[in-house]
């Protein structure tokens, strides 16, 4: 059953998200890239955008209110974390992997962290691209993937953006380049992709609100306990059946066609 024994618990990722799957034209393997967006939140944690899992992928997330940029390359994790919190107000964020494997992290047009990736993403990640959650197994070491807040004007480029381009983007909204492989404004309440590739996504349990530019999507906290993960065929394991349970599974026994599970009750609201 999907969800048992996954790293970090990961029993039921967020129920508020936008998902884009894994079309071949969103394959980041072997490429420099830039991912950027406008966000605002009062929550100190959550995944803003993610593509992939514990083998290969990338993610931008919040950890104790600080922006974090993760890259998984052949199962090796490289991370850059900003030193200051960005809770409250609108902030422009960007993560860059350059052709020399340098990692740069930007908040509001300023470089707030640098590092070195262990390598390029080695293969097309098995899990698709999601906004406001990281479904399935996680790219980073975070424990609570649900982002609760507003996301606007998300872009993904398969090349390095310069410091000047990112500063201009923050200052006056200038597009970094005309060749985004994913360009989502959320102005009509959908995950319509305005790039030439038309990677139109799906939206679940999000609210159309005023954004930094035009409209944006507000991703919501789960109500009444955890929600099931987005249905996707991009997991490393293709389950024949799934079922949420109200306990933390600590043991399993298979007897014929019956699976017995045991563990303490799940009474914790992760949010």
């Amino acid at each position: 059953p999907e969800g048992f024994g996954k790293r970090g618990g990961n029993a039921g990722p967020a129920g508020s998200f936008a998902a884009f799957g894994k079309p071949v034209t969103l394959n980041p393997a072997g490429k420099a890239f830039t991912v950027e967006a406008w966000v605002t939140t009062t929550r100190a944690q959550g995944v803003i955008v993610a593509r992939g899992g514990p083998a290969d992928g990338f993610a931008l997330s919040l950890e104790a209110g600080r922006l974090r940029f993760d890259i998984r390359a052949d199962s090796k994790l490289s991370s850059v974390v900003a030193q200051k919190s960005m809770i409250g107000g609108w902030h422009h964020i960007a993560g860059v992997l350059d052709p020399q494997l340098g990692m740069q992290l930007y908040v509001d047009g300023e470089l707030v962290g640098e590092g070195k990736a262990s390598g390029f993403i080695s293969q097309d990640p098995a899990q698709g691209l999601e906004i406001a959650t990281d479904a399935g197994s996680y790219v980073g070491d975070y424990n609570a993937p649900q982002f609760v807040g507003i996301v606007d004007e998300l872009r993904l480029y398969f090349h390095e953006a310069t410091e000047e381009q990112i500063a201009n983007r923050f200052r006056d909204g200038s597009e970094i380049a005309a060749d985004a492989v994913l360009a989502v404004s959320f102005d009509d309440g959908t995950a319509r992709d305005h790039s030439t590739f038309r990677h139109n996504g799906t939206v679940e349990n999000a609210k159309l609100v005023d954004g930094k530019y035009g409209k944006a999507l507000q991703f919501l906290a789960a109500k009444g306990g955890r929600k099931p993960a987005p249905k996707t065929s991009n997991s490393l394991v293709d389950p024949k059946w799934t079922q949420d349970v109200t306990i933390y599974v600590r043991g399993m026994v298979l007897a014929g066609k019956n699976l017995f599970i045991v563990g303490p009750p799940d009474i914790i609201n992760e949010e």
Side-chain angles (χ1 to χ4, degrees), residues 66-69 80-86 92-95 103-115 163:
R66 299 179 298 167
L67 187 64
R68 171 172 171 160
F69 183 29
V80 177
V81 182
Q83 295 302 307
K84 294 183 179 179
S85 172
M86 48 168 276
H92 180 261
I93 63 171
M103 298 171 63
Q104 294 93 44
L105 186 60
Y106 294 87
V107 175
D108 294 340
E110 296 184 358
L111 183 67
V112 296
E114 292 183 279
E163 190 167 355

Side-chain angles (χ1 to χ4, degrees), residues 114-173:
E114 292 183 279
K116 192 81 170 180
S118 63
F120 289 112
I121 295 171
S122 64
Q123 60 183 331
D124 190 5
Q127 296 166 210
L129 189 146
E130 292 119 11
I131 297 173
T133 192
D134 186 356
S137 301
Y138 302 160
V139 174
D141 289 334
Y142 34 78
N143 292 318
Q146 177 67 69
F147 174 79
V148 179
I150 304 173
V151 179
D152 197 10
E153 300 294 329
L154 185 135
R155 305 285 190 268
L156 174 63
Y157 304 89
F158 282 152
H159 58 74
E160 171 193 8
T162 67
E163 190 167 355
E164 181 180 5
Q165 287 173 319
I166 292 173
N168 290 340
R169 176 71 163 154
F170 166 70
R171 185 176 61 251
D172 57 22

Side-chain angles (χ1 to χ4, degrees), residues 225-226 245-248 264-270:
R226 66 164 63 97
V245 294
T246 58
I247 67 173
Y248 284 111
D266 176 11
I267 59 174
I268 298 173
N269 184 329
E270 289 86 349

Side-chain angles (χ1 to χ4, degrees), residues 5-239:
K6 287 189 176 179
R7 182 169 55 84
N10 197 16
S16 184
F17 59 89
F20 294 84
K22 47 172 295 182
V24 65
T25 42
L26 282 181
N27 179 3
K31 300 170 183 173
F33 66 87
T34 300
V35 58
E36 52 113 353
W38 285 90
V39 299
T40 180
T41 181
T42 58
R43 299 293 183 95
Q45 60 188 10
V47 178
I48 299 165
V49 58
R51 171 72 210 277
D56 284 279
F58 66 85
L60 282 174
S61 64
L62 287 177
E63 178 183 89
R66 299 179 298 167
L67 187 64
R68 171 172 171 160
F69 183 29
D70 289 315
I71 294 178
R72 285 272 183 186
D74 198 19
S75 300
K76 296 178 181 178
L77 178 63
S78 304
S79 304
V80 177
V81 182
Q83 295 302 307
K84 294 183 179 179
S85 172
M86 48 168 276
I87 299 302
W90 280 103
H91 296 279
H92 180 261
I93 63 171
V96 178
L97 176 66
D98 67 34
Q100 291 75 44
L101 298 179
M103 298 171 63
Q104 294 93 44
L105 186 60
Y106 294 87
V107 175
D108 294 340
E110 296 184 358
L111 183 67
V112 296
E114 292 183 279
K116 192 81 170 180
S118 63
F120 289 112
I121 295 171
S122 64
Q123 60 183 331
D124 190 5
Q127 296 166 210
L129 189 146
E130 292 119 11
I131 297 173
T133 192
D134 186 356
S137 301
Y138 302 160
V139 174
D141 289 334
Y142 34 78
N143 292 318
Q146 177 67 69
F147 174 79
V148 179
I150 304 173
V151 179
D152 197 10
E153 300 294 329
L154 185 135
R155 305 285 190 268
L156 174 63
Y157 304 89
F158 282 152
H159 58 74
E160 171 193 8
T162 67
E163 190 167 355
E164 181 180 5
Q165 287 173 319
I166 292 173
N168 290 340
R169 176 71 163 154
F170 166 70
R171 185 176 61 251
D172 57 22
S174 302
E175 294 287 346
I176 287 175
D179 58 351
V181 295
L182 185 67
V184 190
S185 70
F186 303 117
D187 284 339
D188 60 359
T190 72
R192 185 194 308 271
D193 176 21
H194 298 286
S195 80
T196 58
F197 297 99
R198 296 296 186 262
H199 298 125
N200 296 327
T202 58
V203 176
E204 184 74 21
N205 298 331
K207 181 181 178 182
L208 184 66
V209 297
D210 291 335
K212 176 67 178 180
Y213 296 100
K215 296 293 184 178
L217 283 185
Q218 181 179 13
F219 297 96
L220 309 171
K223 295 181 179 180
R226 66 164 63 97
K227 299 290 185 179
K231 296 187 185 322
T232 173
S233 60
N234 301 326
S235 174
L236 293 171
V237 177
D238 188 14

